[in-house]
Amino acid sequence: MPNRIVFSDIDGTLLNPERELSESTISEIKRIKDSTPVVLISSRMPSAMTHLQEELQITDQPLICYNGGLILVDQKPIHSTYIPVDIIETISDFNKDQKVHISLYYDDDWFVPKMDYWANREANNTKVQPAVKPIENVIKDWEKSNKGAHKIMCMGEEMYIDRIFNFLKSTFNETLHLYRSKSTYIEIAHKSISKLTAIEILLNTHFNIPISDAIAFGDNYNDIEMLKAVGIGVAVANAKSEVLDIANVITSPGKEDGVAKYIKNNIR
């Protein structure tokens, strides 16, 4: 029976209209957590996920951050894949007119060039405050310390996001995964990773559970691979049509406690 472990996306899937965990979601996950591990999986950085873990009382479980770019077990990385600084530099050079906001993430560091509309909006959504630092300074520091970006977030008006998206697709199609989470956002990760690759790593190295015994919840394009691969892929009703098409089960919308309702009716 595919209910030995649960993987859940966060934004659009697990949170209520206030972008918080509802009492119902907290209650249902607390009910099953001692017998069925619940692992959060997101494009978010660690500190934008750990406060949710604390509310759910699952801080003993791993975290899959940056769509699989960083996997933490006992708050320590067991897997890390990042975008090298030369690519970051090329993206920054293309954006020299600074029409697009570029956020850079590594582990639990989030750097923004300034606290503009986009930085403030993302800080409000994730409840994390970034550090203000020019991109060229971040690049210099990361060159010295042999680091890169677990995620690059481009945010801006749609016409400028279209322009940089087309540039990235034509220049780095074999290297970068470009995820257009909304018309004004591009989330960029290394092409070699995904939520599915992270799930496979954790199941093989930490849990020793076959993927056929896993349940996953999601709503967006970056959830499709994992929903197709697990034993039961559950889409919330507000999911993209392509996600709804491949899901084994469709539950209520994320903002209406879809994850909690499925757990209540199907996991004992």
Side-chain angles (χ1 to χ4, degrees):
M1 180 68 179
N3 61 3
R4 292 179 61 193
I5 188 166
V6 170
F7 294 93
S8 183
D9 171 55
I10 295 175
D11 296 286
T13 301
L14 197 64
L15 304 182
N16 66 16
E18 288 71 46
R19 302 183 76 90
E20 296 173 347
L21 294 164
S22 71
E23 286 303 317
S24 175
T25 299
I26 293 170
S27 175
E28 283 303 316
I29 290 179
K30 282 183 178 179
R31 181 180 64 80
I32 68 165
K33 69 182 181 64
D34 292 333
S35 57
T36 305
V38 178
V39 178
L40 301 182
I41 181 166
S42 173
S43 64
R44 290 185 176 208
M45 63 194 295
S47 56
M49 300 169 72
T50 50
H51 69 278
L52 301 173
Q53 272 194 317
E54 288 166 4
E55 286 185 76
L56 296 168
Q57 296 181 6
I58 55 170
T59 53
D60 58 328
Q61 296 300 339
L63 271 182
I64 299 176
C65 315
Y66 301 124
N67 283 330
L70 179 66
I71 305 174
L72 301 178
V73 174
D74 297 326
Q75 290 79 53
K76 295 176 183 176
I78 64 160
H79 175 85
S80 175
T81 301
Y82 54 78
I83 300 163
V85 290
D86 60 323
I87 292 179
I88 302 170
E89 197 162 21
T90 302
I91 296 171
S92 178
D93 288 345
F94 179 81
N95 191 51
K96 57 183 177 293
D97 57 6
Q98 297 187 355
K99 297 291 187 183
V100 171
H101 170 102
I102 297 177
S103 278
L104 301 176
Y105 299 82
Y106 176 84
D107 198 349
D108 229 2
D109 294 327
W110 171 23
F111 297 105
V112 299
K114 58 184 176 181
M115 285 305 297
D116 57 9
Y117 165 81
W118 301 101
N120 280 300
R121 176 173 167 169
E122 195 63 16
N124 180 64
N125 287 344
T126 61
K127 298 178 172 57
V128 177
Q129 284 297 315
V132 177
K133 194 172 189 178
I135 288 179
E136 56 268 27
N137 291 3
V138 177
I139 290 171
K140 286 176 184 175
D141 290 346
W142 283 357
E143 279 178 330
K144 293 175 186 174
S145 54
N146 195 29
K147 295 178 181 176
H150 282 122
K151 182 175 81 168
I152 302 171
M153 179 87 90
C154 295
M155 297 176 278
E157 294 178 28
E158 188 171 353
M159 65 178 290
Y160 298 120
I161 291 294
D162 285 343
R163 189 182 69 168
I164 199 166
F165 182 85
N166 291 333
F167 167 74
L168 293 169
K169 193 170 184 180
S170 62
T171 310
F172 297 113
N173 191 50
E174 300 303 313
T175 311
L176 299 180
H177 178 73
L178 309 175
Y179 169 52
R180 196 86 177 255
S181 51
K182 55 184 77 173
S183 61
T184 53
Y185 279 58
I186 310 170
E187 295 179 29
I188 307 168
H190 199 281
K191 197 152 193 173
S192 65
I193 58 94
S194 69
K195 290 186 176 182
L196 176 57
T197 62
I199 285 174
E200 289 173 334
I201 289 169
L202 268 186
L203 290 179
N204 293 333
T205 64
H206 184 71
F207 289 108
N208 194 26
I209 295 175
I211 199 165
S212 58
D213 285 354
I215 299 173
F217 296 91
D219 75 304
N220 222 322
Y221 299 119
N222 60 338
D223 298 317
I224 288 175
E225 271 191 329
M226 73 168 180
L227 294 186
K228 288 173 71 174
V230 296
I232 298 179
V234 183
V236 286
N238 55 284
K240 302 290 187 187
S241 59
E242 294 89 336
V243 181
L244 296 172
D245 288 343
I246 60 89
N248 301 111
V249 179
I250 299 172
T251 186
S252 299
K255 292 180 179 180
E256 296 175 19
D257 298 337
V259 174
K261 289 175 182 174
Y262 180 89
I263 290 173
K264 182 176 183 178
N265 293 327
N266 295 278
I267 304 180
R268 295 288 166 238

